[in-house]
């Protein structure tokens, strides 16, 4: 048997290797994806949520700082850009419908974006949340990089905004199908746009798995809501007297 001291030395060596954390990230997601499929694509068994739980568990168990993990897994972070751009591919096939639906899309974008901002800030304020917390939650329905940037500009914490955006995305991806079915909304374009508005990239990934049209409109909502949130959050919080 290998002495415990030797095992400790081996772990210290492996923990400094970027390949370890990249491999952990990929294996965690592949395992979560397998579990998701085995569950019959149950929304509650969301691959992103399961992956996060597994990785956080490993980091806590090994007392590994997040910075060490991120240094090894940052290639996955880099791929977020190309993956987001790739969402334009299914959207391109819907150009004809987009031209016909520009008015309802614009109205839905404005109403949805304002509702997301006002509800987040309003509930936190009613529960006694601090100014810093309110500013961190305001952009939570935008995609994570935009949410972090907006929160920083208005006095929030980028790290807390990232957590809020992740929670919004995961919870939206889990609840969207059941809620939309309950509301008897069946049109894929409408379902997809609603998911993209509320749950940005994580919800869009789920929408693409369900229906290509829903995925395309979810990607559209993701992009438009990011822009709308960046413009509306400073305006709304200034009007509300928080800024």
């Amino acid at each position: 048997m290998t002495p415990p001291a030797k095992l400790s030395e081996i772990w210290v060596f492996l923990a400094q290797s970027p390949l370890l954390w990249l491999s952990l990230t990929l294996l965690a997601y592949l395992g979560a994806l397998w579990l998701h499929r085995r569950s019959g694509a149950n929304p509650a068994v969301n691959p992103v949520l399961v992956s996060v739980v597994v990785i956080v568990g490993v980091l806590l168990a090994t007392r590994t700082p997040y910075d060490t993990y991120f240094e090894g897994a940052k290639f996955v972070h880099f791929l977020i850009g190309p993956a987001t751009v790739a969402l334009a591919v299914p959207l391109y096939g819907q150009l004809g419908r987009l031209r016909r639906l520009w008015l309802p899309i614009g109205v839905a974008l404005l109403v949805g974006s304002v509702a997301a901002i006002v509800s987040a800030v309003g509930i936190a304020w009613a529960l006694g949340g601090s100014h810093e917390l309110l500013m961190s939650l305001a952009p939570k329905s935008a995609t994570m990089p935009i949410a972090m940037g907006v929160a920083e500009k208005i006095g929030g914490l980028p790290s807390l905004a990232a957590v809020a955006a992740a929670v919004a995305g995961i919870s939206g991806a889990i609840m969207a199908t059941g809620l939309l079915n309950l509301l008897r909304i069946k049109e894929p374009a409408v379902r997809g746009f609603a998911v993209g508005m509320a749950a940005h990239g994580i919800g869009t990934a789920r929408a693409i798995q369900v229906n290509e049209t829903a995925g395309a409109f979810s990607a559209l909502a993701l992009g438009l809501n990011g822009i709308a949130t960046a413009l509306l959050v400073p305006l709304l919080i200034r009007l509300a007297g928080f800024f």
Side-chain angles (χ1 to χ4, degrees), residues 140-226:
K140 57 128 178 93
S141 288
T143 187
M144 192 177 294
I146 294 177
M148 294 173 68
V150 172
E152 185 176 18
K153 293 293 184 183
I154 61 176
L157 294 174
S159 56
L160 183 55
V163 172
V167 171
I170 293 172
S171 59
I174 292 174
M175 296 187 296
T177 299
L179 182 59
L180 291 171
N181 288 342
L182 183 64
L183 295 173
R184 298 181 181 180
I185 299 174
K186 298 181 179 180
E187 170 57 43
V190 178
R191 291 171 70 99
F193 197 85
V195 170
M197 283 288 301
H200 47 81
I202 299 174
T204 298
R206 170 65 180 164
I208 290 174
Q209 293 175 341
V210 175
N211 181 277
E212 184 177 342
T213 299
F217 277 84
S218 184
L220 175 66
L222 179 159
L224 293 179
N225 190 43

Side-chain angles (χ1 to χ4, degrees), residues 14 16 19 25 30 37 46 70 76 84 88 95 148 170 195 208 221 233:
L14 290 175
Q16 303 304 316
L19 185 60
T25 304
L30 289 174
R37 290 169 177 168
N46 185 276
F70 183 76
V76 177
T84 303
L95 282 179
M148 294 173 68
I170 293 172
V195 170
I208 290 174
V233 165

Side-chain angles (χ1 to χ4, degrees), residues 1 6 28 40 107 116 119 124 139 156 160 182 188 231 236:
M1 293 180 63
K6 289 290 185 182
V107 173
S119 62
L160 183 55
L182 183 64
L231 295 174
L236 291 176

Side-chain angles (χ1 to χ4, degrees), residues 91-106:
L91 187 59
Y92 181 76
Q94 303 292 328
L95 282 179
R97 296 187 69 183
L98 291 177
R99 294 191 184 97
R100 297 193 300 272
L101 296 173
W102 67 269
L103 181 58
I105 285 175

Side-chain angles (χ1 to χ4, degrees), residues 27-78:
L27 289 174
Y29 184 77
L30 289 174
L33 191 59
W34 175 83
L35 188 63
H36 178 69
R37 290 169 177 168
R38 290 282 294 180
S39 70
N42 189 324
V45 190
N46 185 276
V48 176
L49 175 60
V50 174
S51 302
V52 169
V53 171
V54 170
I55 293 172
V56 169
V58 171
L59 296 182
L60 290 175
T62 59
R63 297 182 180 180
T64 301
Y66 176 76
D67 290 342
T68 301
Y69 164 75
F70 183 76
E71 186 64 26
K74 63 183 178 182
F75 181 68
V76 177
H77 180 75
F78 164 77

